[in-house]
Amino acid sequence: MKNLRKLTDTNLQTTEIDRHMSDIINQKFDEELKSTYAEILANKYKVHRTPRRKTNWVLISLVALVSLLCAYFAFKGLSTAVSPEKQDFKQMALNYDNEHPFTAQTITRSSVATAEDHRIKAHTHFENQNYTAVLADLNLIEDRNKEDVFLLAYAQFKLSKYSEAGDNFKKVIAMDSDESYHSEARLYRVLCLFASGKTQEAQETMGALAAGSWELETLKGIYSEAK
Amino acid sequence: MENKNFGLTEEAFKTLVVELQNGNEEIFQHIFLSHFENSMSYLKRNCSLSHEQSYDACMDTLIEFRKRLIQNKVSYGNLNYLFTKMASQRFFKNAKKDNRYQSLPDGLEIVAEEMVLDNQEIVVLNKAWNKLGESCQTLLKRYYYDNVKLIRMAEEDNKKPESMRKQKQRCLNTLRINFQSLLNV
């Protein structure tokens, strides 16, 4: 407070008082004006003495992206950072799966497989056109249903066992619980006869087919050029 | 020409000065505060000042420029150049003064001619000032801050210059007594 104490000195010359009063009153009003201007600058013109950082969305986006990438690689690193031994086990597992793809079938590893197990295996082999395996599995089923018999006959047909195939197609036709597979069985029975060289029997059998049936029309289409 | 004079025509500049001298700050504030940031940018660009340095220099210059306008010490011509030149000079003068203080050996003290109050003293000054009557506040502000001569004030108030001088003296004494009472508390 030495400045203000100086101003209260009774021995201070008038000119000194004037000079100092001018200084401090100018300082007072200058400061007040500066405050006023600063307020207007800040509120109206958004100019601040301490620079305000503008929101840099590009920078924020980049930082966010880098953070996400870091987090991703950190997570990935953690999840794969396993010992070599574990890595080997993983590769073995993948190799096995490549060699033995899962075929969505019921697997029973017990020594006594059920008819259903053989049926499912036979269907899988059938889809893979492995007809020998189809025969092997279907022959293990004692109580074969109509579908089993048809697939068995068809596999035999594919394996050129036409006589056996023809007999089994005839069995399908005889299983009259419903009409399923009957048309195909009648068609393939005729084909088996033709394939085995029994042309006359094949034509007679074909002649006995119902007029306008799918199997007759199909056979006519196949043998129309032969007439 | 206007682009060298904060967008002011010579006529507009004269109006601004008259208004400012009559106590109307509105035009001055609008013109100069709206160009404040541009002046700061100029100082940053050409004098390599920081944001705060350029802000302070422009603010000090604004106060100085206003006083010069009131005192008819500024002519129309290239106000932009004059303002930024004053601002850069102001900065380098202050920087030089600061360096001089810093380079003084210990124990030596510069006897500043200008009395500069610290923040506590300004608080006391404001309290003492507020204890003054309105007429004293107006008189002292006009005399010391607005540089209005006592003769002119006497003419405006239809008083004799001598009575105005005595009134000013009474106001000063009152202010000093106020200082004394506040400092003795």
Side-chain angles (χ1 to χ4, degrees), chain A residues 42-60:
Chain A
N43 295 333
K44 190 172 177 182
Y45 300 103
K46 309 299 176 198
V47 179
H48 303 267
R49 184 173 186 271
T50 306
R52 299 289 195 273
R53 289 194 179 278
K54 291 177 182 175
T55 307
N56 190 334
W57 290 110
V58 174
L59 183 64
I60 289 171

Side-chain angles (χ1 to χ4, degrees), chain B residues 8-181:
Chain B
L8 290 167
T9 62
E10 188 166 8
E11 206 58 36
F13 172 74
K14 286 177 183 173
T15 305
L16 180 149
V17 173
V18 171
E19 289 289 314
L20 198 55
Q21 286 169 338
N22 290 330
N24 184 358
E25 305 258 350
E26 201 172 326
I27 300 174
F28 171 80
Q29 285 182 7
H30 174 70
I31 297 297
F32 285 88
L33 293 180
S34 64
H35 289 87
F36 194 92
E37 196 168 19
N38 290 341
S39 302
M40 281 178 68
S41 299
Y42 178 89
L43 292 179
K44 287 180 193 174
R45 194 171 58 246
N46 294 292
C47 303
S48 303
L49 302 193
S50 69
H51 181 90
E52 291 184 3
Q53 285 170 335
S54 56
Y55 183 97
D56 289 343
C58 284
M59 186 62 88
D60 288 339
T61 305
L62 196 59
I63 301 296
E64 181 64 25
F65 209 81
R66 177 186 168 279
K67 284 180 184 170
R68 291 195 185 193
L69 286 170
I70 290 171
Q71 294 164 11
N72 279 322
K73 289 181 179 174
V74 176
S75 303
Y76 185 80
N78 194 341
L79 298 174
N80 295 38
Y81 175 78
L82 177 64
F83 187 91
T84 50
K85 191 75 179 171
M86 280 173 65
S88 59
Q89 286 176 348
R90 182 91 186 183
F91 169 76
F92 289 118
K93 188 180 170 186
N94 289 343
K96 194 176 174 185
K97 193 195 287 182
D98 290 343
N99 289 336
R100 189 174 57 181
Y101 272 103
Q102 287 167 10
S103 61
L104 279 174
D106 291 343
L108 285 179
E109 187 180 342
I110 284 182
V111 179
E113 289 187 354
E114 186 179 343
M115 181 177 276
V116 180
L117 304 181
D118 60 30
N119 290 337
Q120 285 183 323
E121 287 177 318
I122 287 177
V123 171
V124 175
L125 168 61
N126 286 333
K127 284 182 179 176
W129 185 267
N130 292 336
K131 286 174 120 183
L132 288 175
E134 194 177 337
S135 59
C136 271
Q137 288 180 354
T138 305
L139 192 155
L140 293 178
K141 181 176 183 287
R142 293 196 75 196
Y143 181 77
Y144 289 111
Y145 193 68
D146 300 334
N147 288 311
V148 180
K149 302 287 183 192
L150 286 174
I151 296 174
R152 186 181 160 190
M153 281 193 269
E155 286 172 359
E156 288 172 1
D157 289 356
N158 291 319
K159 289 179 180 175
K160 289 179 182 177
E162 182 59 21
S163 65
M164 187 58 78
R165 190 188 64 77
K166 285 180 179 173
Q167 187 185 346
K168 177 215 150 199
Q169 197 58 45
R170 284 196 296 274
C171 290
L172 269 184
N173 289 339
T174 307
L175 185 59
R176 292 172 73 201
I177 290 166
N178 290 346
F179 288 150
Q180 186 75 55
S181 63

